[in-house]
Amino acid sequence: MKTTRRSFIQKTALLSGVFSLGFDWFESKANSGIMQQMNPALDANRFNAFLSIENTGKIILYSPNPEIGQGIKTAFPIVVAEELDVDWKQVEVRQANLDTQLFERQLTGGSGALKHSWERLRKAGATARHMLIQAAAQQWGVDASTCKTSKGFVLGPNKGQKLAYGALVDAASKLSVPTEVTYKSRADYQLIGSFVKGVDNYKVLTGKPQYGLDTQKSGMLIAQIVRPPAFGSTLVSFDAAEVKKMPGIIDVVSFKNKVAVVGKSTWEVMQARKKLVCTYSDTSNLESDSTHQKWFDEGMKTDKAKVERNDGDFNAAIAKAAKVIEATYECPFLSHTPMEPMNFFADVRPGSVLLAGPTQVPQSAQKAVATLLGVPENTVQVELTKMGGGFGRRLNNDYALEAAELSSMIKMPVKVMWTREDDMTGGIYRPAVRYHFKAGLNEKGEMIAFYLRGVGLNAGNSTRQDNFPVGAIDNVLIESFNYNSAITTGPWRAPITNFLASAEQSFLDEVAVAAGKDPIQMRLDWLQKVKTNPVGKITYEPDRFIEVIKQVAEKAKWGKKGANVHQGFSVYFSHLSYVAQIAEAKMVDGEPKVTHVTAVTDCGEVINRSGAENQVIGGIIDGYGHAMFSKLSFDKGVPQQKNFDTYKLIRGNEIPTVEAHFVNNGIAPTGLGEPALPPTGGAVANALFAATKKRLYRQPFAGPDNANL
């Protein structure tokens, strides 16, 4: 594999002995390499990361993407080390703070880190290796094509010619950046695809990393914020007279429907907060679960739904169908519940703003704070801390804005800290959605018509109108309708597809039973039609779908496990990856129990097998636990679940064994942090149906709506 793309700008350090290459995150064509000096300011534009090789042989990669457990701090150096031909342990990844002059796409979301960085990282390693070889060849007076590398050394054609990379950095830094480099062949990979332990594992286990909650700055105060107890209610007044007299309390201020208690320590602020008396308006429009059910009912009947896709003539086809299958599925609001509640530090001063904390989108935080305060963006500095979970919650910067606004009011540096109850009752939630499906079969049991309507609460378009089985069915009608709710929502791991996949895959299982067909073979037949005669636009690759389906059927021994092993199948495409799953359930003392899940994933090239397995297994456990147990309900705008005693997450003894396999196809990496979650609910629901002959239409499956399970 060769590249002529010129996305490098060569750097040479003020300090001797450092060879550094900066590479552009998006640019596929750039001007030829130029020489500049690298200093701590690094004023070059359009940089995203830097590969530095010290004269000690140490290799440093500055990563712009926040690490939230997706494993990029391990995967990134594996890619560089592979192309550079060094022991991966020589490579260190450092978290870069926000710098819009040097970096682009400095965010974590959409399962996109490796997808976006794969070529850049390979290019960085391969180009550095090429230049080190050139430097050694010049020193020896030999042709560079006669040299090779091995584990951080350049080896010459003559006996005894061996130089460590560190000894070559000065000479290499003076060379021109090549216009063409050759990548390693996959057959020669030593690191990519192997099992590598996470570089931060030991530090995490021993409490070394500094999370946002650990932030300590000179003169820093602590604040907790009282928010309205109900979504849609308004602060009328508050009485802080007694609170201000309490030990350690500095001030009590209100802003934007909130009241902040500011003090010297977390404990003092927590105690004072309990004494704060707030009065809120009582309106008649506060939403309850009954409100949402009414909206769902109305949304299913309205003639104002938006048509998202219309292939053929669904109404004519369904009217001629020999058999019609219909089903309605519903999911509740969900909290993200990361283990580290929201927090952020801000120090707003004349001419400068310092922010520090856990955010998935630091540049968005910078822009939002600059707009809020009316200051230039370049005066807002953002330091990134380690995050105790994100799952999409930290794509919203409401808590960073709180810290910035409060600091600007009290003229002091302050860290805003949410409690678990704040985190669960203050949003941002996964939207609640209802789906209605309808399918028409002809006399041969073939699906000739497919209908889907999604009604969401703050969900926007709650469908994915171009996803399979669309493309295989001649007559398709897909519609969506959205209600604007006062309950704040936002992205939750695998947005929209986290429940859409569950509902769709459950429904297709019901269609297969009605048609008298094997659920797997039915999908394979549809995919063959997509290959030969697709209907309308498709956004997926049928061959990759077929491969994960065939592999999971083989590895899980579909239909061959015996009478008391009841299997359920599901397959889904999201974030450019394909995941097929087979869940197994057994009857234990008259109750169904999910015992095992087999998954086959096509996410392209697997960089770190250990990290990849963790992502798939974690996604399946996450999807299974939330499908089975979790729910947020509302009464007059007030969340009824405020902590883990009433909002259930999966427990260790409830986790099934999970078996993760990957398709080895060498395609460039695609998403992996989210794709394993969406198909899990459907596989589990279908396995439980196979065990009990009872369909599950509402999540959570173990909730009161499915008490007859």
Side-chain angles (χ1 to χ4, degrees):
M1 297 174 62
K2 293 187 176 182
T3 175
T4 58
R5 298 192 297 180
R6 303 297 310 280
S7 60
F8 291 100
I9 300 178
Q10 186 175 345
K11 295 300 204 174
T12 181
L14 287 176
L15 296 175
S16 177
V18 180
F19 167 40
S20 183
L21 288 173
F23 52 98
D24 189 305
W25 206 250
F26 290 121
E27 200 63 37
S28 61
K29 295 180 180 179
N31 294 329
S32 59
I34 60 174
M35 297 295 295
Q36 291 182 332
Q37 287 194 326
M38 184 176 73
N39 56 45
L42 282 173
D43 59 358
N45 293 324
R46 297 187 64 74
F47 271 56
N48 253 119
F50 301 95
L51 165 65
S52 297
I53 305 175
E54 297 181 357
N55 53 13
T56 61
K58 185 176 183 179
I59 298 150
I60 302 172
L61 178 67
Y62 291 89
S63 174
N65 296 68
E67 170 68 66
I68 57 171
Q70 76 278 43
I72 57 172
K73 281 191 71 177
T74 306
F76 275 24
I78 286 175
V79 179
V80 176
E82 185 71 79
E83 291 294 347
L84 191 56
D85 201 6
V86 295
D87 185 335
W88 79 273
K89 294 178 182 178
Q90 290 179 252
V91 182
E92 177 186 343
V93 177
R94 295 180 183 174
Q95 176 68 64
N97 287 324
L98 177 69
D99 192 324
T100 57
Q101 295 299 309
L102 302 181
F103 303 115
E104 289 187 3
R105 200 190 178 274
Q106 217 173 342
L107 61 88
T108 292
S111 299
L114 271 171
K115 177 175 63 179
H116 285 277
S117 61
W118 166 246
E119 282 293 324
R120 284 81 176 174
L121 294 170
R122 295 180 77 195
K123 195 178 299 183
T127 302
R129 176 176 172 271
H130 175 95
M131 296 174 74
L132 291 163
I133 290 174
Q134 291 289 332
Q138 287 184 9
Q139 183 169 327
W140 292 325
V142 301
D143 192 311
S145 64
T146 65
C147 302
K148 60 182 180 179
T149 59
S150 176
K151 296 185 178 180
F153 291 87
V154 179
L155 309 178
N158 301 317
K159 185 177 181 180
Q161 290 181 325
K162 180 179 181 180
L163 286 171
Y165 285 175
L168 293 165
V169 294
D170 284 334
S173 67
K174 297 176 174 63
L175 299 175
S176 298
V177 178
T179 58
E180 186 176 277
V181 294
T182 302
Y183 293 155
K184 266 190 177 182
S185 166
R186 290 187 75 233
D188 295 328
Y189 283 170
Q190 299 295 314
L191 292 172
I192 292 176
S194 65
F195 288 83
V196 179
K197 294 179 181 179
V199 295
D200 283 340
N201 285 3
Y202 181 78
K203 292 179 181 178
V204 170
L205 288 170
T206 54
K208 298 296 192 303
Q210 295 295 295
Y211 291 82
L213 284 173
D214 298 317
T215 298
Q216 296 291 331
K217 300 287 186 180
S218 177
M220 182 185 78
L221 299 176
I222 299 295
Q224 288 194 342
I225 297 176
V226 178
R227 300 166 186 84
F231 287 94
S233 63
T234 304
L235 177 68
V236 175
S237 63
F238 66 97
D239 184 355
E242 294 301 316
V243 173
K244 290 182 178 181
K245 299 176 184 178
M246 296 182 70
I249 299 306
I250 302 299
D251 204 353
V252 180
V253 298
S254 66
F255 63 100
K256 287 187 172 60
N257 216 30
K258 307 169 186 179
V259 182
V261 179
V262 184
K264 297 179 180 179
S265 72
T266 304
W267 178 254
E268 289 170 327
V269 169
M270 291 178 69
Q271 299 311 303
R273 176 182 176 174
K274 295 175 183 178
K275 301 293 185 180
L276 185 66
V277 178
C278 297
T279 304
Y280 298 90
S281 64
D282 186 14
T283 70
S284 59
N285 298 322
L286 299 180
E287 301 169 24
S288 299
D289 285 355
S290 58
T291 312
H292 301 149
Q293 290 301 310
K294 178 176 178 289
W295 287 353
F296 282 145
D297 292 341
E298 292 172 350
M300 285 297 168
K301 298 174 183 177
T302 183
D303 59 1
K304 297 180 180 179
K306 180 183 178 183
V307 175
E308 304 290 352
R309 181 155 181 155
N310 191 1
D311 295 336
D313 190 337
F314 169 80
N315 290 324
I318 201 73
K320 295 187 296 184
K323 184 180 290 187
V324 175
I325 304 98
E326 293 186 74
T328 301
Y329 301 83
E330 189 176 313
C331 71
F333 290 97
L334 289 181
S335 173
H336 294 79
T337 60
M339 287 297 98
E340 179 191 20
M342 301 303 106
N343 65 89
F344 226 76
F345 167 84
D347 185 2
V348 179
R349 302 186 182 190
S352 70
V353 178
L354 174 62
L355 304 175
T359 173
Q360 294 177 236
V361 281
Q363 189 171 358
S364 293
Q366 180 192 55
K367 289 181 178 180
V369 168
T371 300
L372 172 72
L373 301 178
V375 300
E377 286 182 22
N378 62 7
T379 65
V380 181
Q381 178 185 353
V382 183
E383 296 179 357
L384 300 180
T385 66
K386 193 169 180 62
M387 281 180 268
F391 312 109
R393 175 61 181 89
R394 289 186 162 99
L395 291 171
N396 191 296
N397 284 305
D398 52 315
Y399 53 99
L401 288 169
E402 287 180 342
E405 185 164 8
L406 182 57
S407 178
S408 71
M409 294 173 66
I410 64 175
K411 311 299 181 185
M412 293 286 286
V414 63
K415 179 168 66 176
V416 170
M417 300 176 62
W418 292 39
T419 65
R420 173 61 58 200
E421 288 78 7
D422 291 336
D423 208 44
M424 291 192 64
T425 61
I428 306 296
Y429 305 126
R430 179 190 76 173
V433 182
R434 180 186 289 183
Y435 293 111
H436 182 72
F437 292 87
K438 184 184 293 187
L441 306 179
N442 62 17
E443 291 82 358
K444 298 179 182 179
E446 299 168 336
M447 193 195 298
I448 58 172
F450 179 78
Y451 173 80
L452 165 63
R453 174 175 288 197
V455 178
L457 309 181
N458 290 344
N461 175 14
S462 54
T463 73
R464 290 293 181 265
Q465 63 272 12
D466 297 327
N467 272 11
F468 181 74
V470 170
I473 313 301
D474 291 333
N475 304 285
V476 171
L477 178 59
I478 297 179
E479 302 171 323
S480 71
F481 190 78
N482 184 66
Y483 277 96
N484 294 321
S485 168
I487 297 170
T488 52
T489 64
W492 190 96
R493 192 175 187 178
I496 300 300
T497 61
N498 54 62
F499 178 66
L500 173 60
S502 175
E504 176 198 274
Q505 294 299 303
S506 296
F507 179 68
L508 293 183
D509 195 74
E510 197 162 348
V511 170
V513 171
K517 296 185 176 183
D518 177 84
I520 288 182
Q521 189 59 50
M522 180 180 72
R523 289 169 174 83
L524 291 174
D525 292 343
W526 288 343
L527 287 163
Q528 285 298 327
K529 179 180 178 181
V530 174
K531 290 180 62 176
T532 58
N533 188 26
V535 180
K537 175 184 177 182
I538 60 170
T539 59
Y540 54 86
E541 299 177 55
D543 282 330
R544 296 177 72 182
F545 251 126
I546 290 169
E547 185 62 25
V548 294
I549 292 172
K550 287 184 174 180
Q551 284 200 27
V552 81
E554 176 187 353
K555 295 181 184 302
K557 296 182 173 59
W558 174 253
K560 301 175 183 178
K561 282 294 190 77
N564 193 36
V565 178
H566 307 278
Q567 296 179 309
F569 171 76
S570 177
V571 64
Y572 208 71
F573 165 69
S574 68
H575 298 87
L576 302 180
S577 294
Y578 303 76
V579 184
Q581 296 179 18
I582 292 177
E584 298 177 3
K586 295 181 179 180
M587 297 301 294
V588 179
D589 297 327
E591 298 290 333
K593 180 179 176 62
V594 176
T595 58
H596 189 82
V597 179
T598 304
V600 173
T601 300
D602 178 355
C603 59
E605 193 76 74
V606 173
I607 307 304
N608 178 10
R609 182 62 181 263
S610 176
E613 288 189 359
N614 286 337
Q615 287 297 295
V616 170
I617 293 170
I620 289 172
I621 293 171
D622 196 11
Y624 173 63
H626 281 92
M628 287 295 295
F629 306 116
S630 304
K631 178 181 180 179
L632 271 176
S633 56
F634 295 85
D635 183 21
K636 295 181 180 179
V638 179
Q640 298 302 289
Q641 293 77 27
K642 296 177 172 58
N643 210 317
F644 295 131
D645 56 339
T646 52
Y647 184 87
K648 183 178 178 182
L649 296 179
I650 191 169
R651 269 59 170 176
N653 63 352
E654 295 164 328
I655 296 175
T657 58
V658 181
E659 186 180 334
H661 303 274
F662 297 89
V663 175
N664 182 19
N665 55 19
I667 296 171
T670 51
L672 192 55
E674 294 164 283
L677 187 148
T680 303
V684 168
N686 295 336
L688 292 173
F689 167 76
T692 65
K693 303 308 175 188
K694 297 174 183 176
R695 290 287 179 188
L696 299 170
Y697 296 108
R698 302 183 76 175
Q699 291 187 359
F701 296 154
D705 294 324
N706 301 302
N708 62 339
L709 178 62

